[in-house]
């Protein structure tokens, strides 16, 4: 639906001011509002075409990341401000949310391609009641507002307590060379394309409009003063891109939080709890599944001790009513961190978190604003909503798997990066450097990109992984899914455990043949040495935290569905006071099994010889509670899923005498774990 005055015809600005003054300067106040409205009325018919050319379709990834990070329950009402032609609305609807689009421009609303209701309105005076929506999205529109402070005040007014807000914007890069490229592209190329395909004045305004945006620190201060809270801005690195793009800023209410943990009688299916957009840690011991988002933390992990202390402090600030009192109860957060240890990690405290311990104890933790009118009623409502949603499908309520999987995509396109020949050439080049003494070992990865004809079913993929890899550490966090065989570190009270792995052989499906392959793996000097390097690092790193630490005398074979590894269990008792699992994880990552030896030299070789961005592949993934307990896996046998696209990676340890073709074959065996779960025509 639309309300308001009749739209102007294309190109007929009438008395409305142009987006730029005669001297090329930017406008302000009411002149800016009228100019922006008229400009978007004019460019609406060809807006999508020019926008795709301008961004190279990267805007699609940014929007989907923002929708995923909202972490709202299905059916939640989300207001999409500056909705334009409805891209955000379509992504929200595809994720099971209920979008409502709002834009100042009638021309954009008329060109919108969405079934969502549409409203013409000014973002500074939203026709929405107080606490009227569950979430808000806003894409690339801050620069077009007359004033930002009253805008953030409006957001604080209309979003419910504990609701979620995602804002996507683009800023000038700080790097001088990238800033020059940014200036050329947006200052010259974009106006040229806009003049050829649409309206020259409008696309001359767009690059200059970046000047309307405050610096990140000022923007955060504005949000904080409007009773909204935002984590520290984080830069997303896109290799080879001309622009430094910021991730969507996720904002939370600054109101204090209250967590309540209570026992559950029913054995709820954790995969169903997480669904496609929640978080899941599905392991043989403690398992957790959550939905919604009470808090999102961004953590600088360059100093492991400070990193662990910061997480403990943030989680400890939440008031707790814990009626179960086990590791993982009260307040717990789940995260999947990038492989690069210089990049920030993120942790999500779900609004609703269901847990199960090894002895069968089950619980549910809910997190609500502590100053709610009736916190107990708010907790009860979250639990009842969860049980009601799951009870709609009896097969999803109890542990097990549903036989009514959603229709999967019918067509898949697979592409490798780099191609096999180029990757083998990189391995040979790395071997040359290793023989020259650059390092003892380096781990090199390659990628298979899967593109389907419809969105990939995350929940169904997790069920397939559960059936194929029942003993693995399975996870689903913000689109990063997998079934890792390797426990990086776990802490329960003062007990610390690790199960490092290094050295791999294929499995054939024939028990006798697999036994021979396993025996050969145990007898392989190369694989035993590679494995021992990893054990030595884990032991030497943890010994300073422990009063007692021991490792198995000999490695054993750890058999997965597609490959088998050498593994050695390490266990010890932490000195008092015990370090948080976050600190232990931060000092251990990356191990030689996913990086190489020694660490700094191997990381440099990875930067030189890998042409892919690992992202979260081979990074730590797991959970932590307010007491510092938790478990973290090495994020291998994993995939980054974004709508209809999945990035699947596998790596191998390369030493001076490695055979590139043999290493290529090993990556193919490892890739099958995720490809078999994803590609189901």
């Amino acid at each position: 639906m639309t309300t308001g005055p009749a739209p102007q015809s294309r190109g007929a600005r009438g008395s409305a001011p142009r987006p730029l003054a005669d001297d090329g300067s930017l406008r302000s106040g009411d002149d800016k509002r009228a100019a922006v409205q008229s400009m978007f009325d004019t460019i609406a018919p060809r807006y999508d075409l020019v926008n795709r050319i301008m961004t190279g379709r990267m805007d699609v990834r940014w929007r989907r990341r923002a929708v995923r990070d909202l972490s709202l329950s299905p059916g939640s009402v989300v207001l999409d401000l500056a909705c334009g032609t409805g891209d955000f609305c379509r992504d929200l609807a595809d994720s099971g949310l209920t979008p409502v689009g709002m834009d100042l421009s009638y021309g954009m609303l008329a060109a919108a391609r969405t079934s969502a209701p549409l409203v013409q309105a000014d973002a500074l005076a939203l026709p929405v009641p107080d606490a009227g929506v569950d979430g808000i999205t806003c894409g690339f529109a801050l620069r077009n507002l007359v004033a930002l402070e009253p805008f953030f005040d409006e957001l604080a007014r209309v979003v419910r307590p504990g609701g979620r807000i995602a804002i996507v914007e683009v800023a000038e890069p700080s790097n001088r060379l990238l800033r020059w490229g940014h200036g050329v592209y947006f200052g010259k190329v974009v106006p040229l394309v806009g003049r050829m395909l649409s309206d020259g004045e409008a696309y001359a305004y767009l690059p200059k409009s970046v000047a309307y945006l405050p610096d990140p620190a000022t923007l955060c201060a504005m949000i904080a003063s409007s009773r909204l809270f935002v984590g520290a801005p984080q830069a997303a690195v896109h290799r080879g891109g001309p622009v430094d793009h910021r991730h969507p800023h996720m904002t939370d209410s600054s109101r204090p939080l209250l967590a309540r943990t209570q026992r559950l009688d029913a054995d709820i299916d954790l995969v169903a709890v997480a669904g496609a957009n929640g978080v899941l840690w599905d392991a043989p011991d403690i398992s957790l599944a959550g939905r919604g988002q009470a808090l999102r933390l961004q953590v600088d992990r360059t100093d492991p001790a400070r990193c662990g202390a910061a997480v403990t402090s943030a989680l400890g600030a939440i008031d707790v009513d814990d009626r179960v009192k086990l590791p993982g109860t009260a307040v717990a957060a789940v995260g999947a961190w990038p492989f690069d240890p210089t990049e920030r990690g993120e942790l999500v405290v779900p609004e609703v978190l269901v847990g199960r311990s090894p002895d069968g104890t089950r619980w549910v933790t809910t997190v609500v604003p502590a100053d709610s009118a009736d916190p107990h009623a708010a907790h009860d409502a979250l639990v009842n909503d969860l049980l009601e949603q799951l009870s709609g499908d009896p097969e999803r309520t109890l542990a097990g798997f549903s036989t009514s999987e959603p229709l999967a995509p019918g067509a898949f396109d697979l592409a490798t990066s780099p191609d096999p020949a180029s990757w083998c050439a990189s391995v040979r080049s790395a071997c040359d450097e290793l023989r020259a003494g650059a390092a003892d070992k380096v781990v090199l990865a390659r990628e298979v990109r899967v593109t389907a004809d419809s969105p990939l079913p995350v929940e169904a993929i997790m069920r397939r992984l559960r059936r194929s890899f029942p003993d693995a550490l399975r996870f689903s966090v913000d689109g990063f899914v997998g079934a890792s065989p390797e426990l990086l570190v776990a802490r329960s009270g003062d007990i610390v455990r690790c199960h490092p792995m290094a050295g791999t052989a294929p499995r054939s499906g024939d028990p006798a043949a697999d036994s021979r392959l396993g025996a050969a793996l145990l007898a392989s000097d190369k694989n035993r040495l590679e494995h021992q390097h990893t054990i030595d690092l884990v032991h030497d790193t943890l010994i300073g935290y422990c009063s007692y630490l021991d490792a198995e005398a000999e490695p054993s074979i750890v058999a997965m569905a597609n490959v088998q590894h050498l593994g050695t269990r390490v266990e010890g008792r932490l000195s008092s006071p015990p370090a948080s699992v976050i600190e232990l994880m931060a000092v251990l990552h990356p191990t030689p099994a996913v990086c190489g030896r020694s660490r700094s030299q191997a990381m440099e070789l990875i930067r030189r010889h890998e042409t892919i961005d690992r992202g979260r592949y081979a990074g730590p993934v797991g959970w932590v509670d307010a007491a510092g307990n938790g478990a973290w896996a090495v994020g291998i046998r994993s995939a980054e899923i974004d709508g209809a696209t999945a990035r699947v990676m596998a790596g191998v340890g390369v030493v001076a005498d490695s055979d590139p073709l043999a290493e290529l074959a090993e990556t193919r065996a490892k890739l099958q774990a995720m490809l078999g779960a994803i590609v189901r025509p």
Side-chain angles (χ1 to χ4, degrees), residues 420-464:
S422 298
W423 187 80
C424 286
S426 294
V427 172
R428 281 191 290 271
S429 178
C431 288
D432 291 340
E433 293 198 47
L434 293 174
R435 283 191 290 270
D440 293 328
K441 167 191 168 184
V442 63
V443 176
L444 296 181
R446 56 190 291 260
E447 171 187 342
V448 174
R449 184 178 293 268
V450 180
T451 304
D453 61 354
S454 62
L456 295 165
V458 172
E459 183 178 340
I461 290 169
M462 294 310 302
R463 295 187 184 283
R464 297 166 192 164

Side-chain angles (χ1 to χ4, degrees), residues 281-282 284 465 469 471-475 481-488 501 560 565 619 621 632-638 674:
W281 172 263
D282 195 7
L465 291 174
F469 303 96
D471 297 322
L473 306 168
R474 298 172 298 277
F475 51 85
V481 304
S484 175
E486 185 171 0
L487 176 66
L488 178 62
M501 297 180 189
M560 306 300 288
H565 302 283
V621 53
W632 289 77
V634 180
I636 53 177
R637 312 300 182 271
S638 57
M674 290 307 300

Side-chain angles (χ1 to χ4, degrees), residues 297-316 333 337-338 340-347 545 579-589 620 624-626 628 632:
L297 305 173
Q298 291 189 350
V299 185
D300 183 341
R301 52 184 170 141
T302 53
D303 183 328
R306 291 182 63 186
C307 175
V311 172
T312 299
S313 175
L315 299 183
W337 291 10
D340 187 343
T342 65
E343 294 187 28
R344 287 176 178 268
E346 287 191 348
L347 290 168
Y545 291 90
S580 164
V581 72
I582 293 291
E583 180 176 352
L584 300 174
M585 172 265 285
V587 295
L588 285 169
H589 174 80
V624 59
D625 67 14
W632 289 77

Side-chain angles (χ1 to χ4, degrees), residues 89-109:
C89 286
R90 293 194 299 274
D91 290 333
L92 291 164
D94 289 344
S95 296
L97 303 173
T98 304
V100 177
M102 191 171 294
D103 202 290
L104 182 64
S105 165
Y106 244 123
M108 298 298 279
L109 295 173

Side-chain angles (χ1 to χ4, degrees), residues 73-74 264 268-270 272-275 289-292 351-355 363-366 379-393 396-397:
S73 301
L264 278 178
I268 291 178
D269 180 4
L270 298 183
V273 172
R291 56 174 58 185
E351 193 174 38
V352 180
L353 185 70
V354 177
W363 66 86
V364 58
T365 297
T366 49
H379 286 296
D380 291 341
L382 288 173
V383 175
N384 292 335
D385 286 348
L386 172 70
L387 297 177
E388 182 179 349
Q389 290 175 26
L390 294 180
S391 66
D393 181 353
R396 289 163 56 101
T397 304

Side-chain angles (χ1 to χ4, degrees), residues 491-505:
R491 198 205 96 173
S492 181
D494 63 354
I495 301 300
V496 61
R497 295 181 295 111
C498 303
H499 195 190
M501 297 180 189
T504 304

Side-chain angles (χ1 to χ4, degrees), residues 394-648:
E395 292 181 353
R396 289 163 56 101
T397 304
L398 299 178
F401 65 89
S402 171
T403 57
S404 56
E405 265 193 13
L407 289 177
F412 299 86
D413 178 67
L414 275 65
T416 61
S417 177
D419 63 81
S422 298
W423 187 80
C424 286
S426 294
V427 172
R428 281 191 290 271
S429 178
C431 288
D432 291 340
E433 293 198 47
L434 293 174
R435 283 191 290 270
D440 293 328
K441 167 191 168 184
V442 63
V443 176
L444 296 181
R446 56 190 291 260
E447 171 187 342
V448 174
R449 184 178 293 268
V450 180
T451 304
D453 61 354
S454 62
L456 295 165
V458 172
E459 183 178 340
I461 290 169
M462 294 310 302
R463 295 187 184 283
R464 297 166 192 164
L465 291 174
R466 174 190 279 176
R467 295 194 291 270
S468 299
F469 303 96
D471 297 322
L473 306 168
R474 298 172 298 277
F475 51 85
S476 176
V477 183
D478 289 342
F480 185 60
V481 304
S484 175
E486 185 171 0
L487 176 66
L488 178 62
V489 64
R491 198 205 96 173
S492 181
D494 63 354
I495 301 300
V496 61
R497 295 181 295 111
C498 303
H499 195 190
M501 297 180 189
T504 304
R507 295 193 68 194
S508 66
D510 176 10
D514 288 346
S515 180
R516 289 193 297 271
L517 289 167
L521 179 61
L522 281 168
S524 166
D525 291 339
K526 170 187 178 295
N527 284 293
R528 289 291 292 264
L529 180 61
E530 179 181 338
H531 183 75
Q532 193 60 48
H533 286 163
T534 299
I535 301 305
D536 289 345
L537 179 136
V538 170
H539 184 276
D540 293 348
T541 301
L542 289 181
I543 192 66
Y545 291 90
C546 295
S547 58
Y548 166 80
L549 185 67
D550 196 15
E552 293 176 322
E554 293 290 329
S556 58
I557 294 294
V558 180
M560 306 300 288
N562 57 324
V563 295
Q564 47 194 330
H565 302 283
L566 291 179
T568 297
R569 297 186 184 278
V570 179
E571 184 169 318
R573 187 175 297 277
L574 295 166
S575 303
S576 183
S580 164
V581 72
I582 293 291
E583 180 176 352
L584 300 174
M585 172 265 285
V587 295
L588 285 169
H589 174 80
T591 69
V594 293
C595 172
R597 182 174 178 269
S598 60
R599 183 181 288 175
S600 58
Q601 290 92 331
M603 288 293 287
E604 183 57 35
L605 287 174
I606 289 172
R607 294 186 184 100
R608 288 206 296 271
H609 293 285
E610 272 190 3
T611 59
I612 59 174
D613 181 355
R614 290 194 182 188
R616 292 178 288 180
Y617 165 73
V621 53
W623 66 274
V624 59
D625 67 14
N629 301 303
W632 289 77
V634 180
I636 53 177
R637 312 300 182 271
S638 57
E640 292 265 13
I641 295 179
D642 185 1
T645 302
R647 298 176 65 226
V648 185

